[in-house]
Amino acid sequence: MAFIYDRCASRSYRQLEMRMTGCDGYADRMGWVPAGRWIDLGEDALTAQRPKFGALLEAMQERAAEREVLCLVHNWGRLSADGPERIAFQTRIVKAGGWSETTFGESDRHGRVLRVGRRP
């Protein structure tokens, strides 16, 4: 089950819409059921405490007991442009019971054991 996430601080949503179309298409090609979209906008997109991302984690954790769940993003920059901060976001996803993947096929699915010390 794919939980699609993005963030957009810009007032223009054109690129956001293109990224969402890319995520929808990728999920479809992979055969994943979309759980929904969570998008932090404006100032919320620039902080570490993102309301929509937090809601995504809660929803993901609820479904993780029933089936595999992942957070799908267009690219890693959608979580954060800062490497250590991005890893912190990915760690929160793992703790919620899922993994992260980009529409470019990049995934942290198999690295989850090392990051938080638990088995998938």
Side-chain angles (χ1 to χ4, degrees):
M1 179 169 273
F3 291 72
I4 299 171
Y5 178 74
D6 207 317
R7 64 192 181 103
C8 182
S10 167
R11 291 179 192 248
S12 170
Y13 298 132
R14 184 170 173 246
Q15 288 185 338
L16 172 64
E17 291 169 6
M18 290 175 17
R19 291 191 302 264
M20 290 293 95
T21 299
C23 286
D24 291 340
Y26 187 80
D28 186 55
R29 285 190 304 279
M30 298 300 288
W32 296 331
V33 175
R37 292 177 174 178
W38 287 261
I39 302 169
D40 281 301
L41 299 172
E43 290 296 317
D44 289 339
L46 303 174
T47 68
Q49 301 302 319
R50 300 181 194 155
K52 299 296 182 179
F53 184 76
L56 176 146
L57 293 175
E58 287 179 24
M60 181 181 276
Q61 190 167 17
E62 288 176 15
R63 299 305 298 265
E66 305 164 13
R67 62 190 313 169
E68 284 192 313
V69 294
L70 72 130
C71 177
L72 178 61
V73 292
H74 178 67
N75 60 41
W76 293 131
R78 303 332 307 149
L79 292 174
S80 178
D82 177 73
E85 185 177 62
R86 177 180 55 89
I87 290 171
F89 278 104
Q90 288 176 276
T91 300
R92 291 173 64 190
I93 292 164
V94 170
K95 288 181 178 179
W99 81 88
S100 309
E101 188 154 335
T102 73
T103 60
F104 296 94
E106 301 163 304
S107 175
D108 63 7
R109 183 175 189 181
H110 300 293
R112 296 187 304 164
V113 174
L114 299 176
R115 188 167 347 309
V116 296
R118 67 171 237 198
R119 297 190 182 276

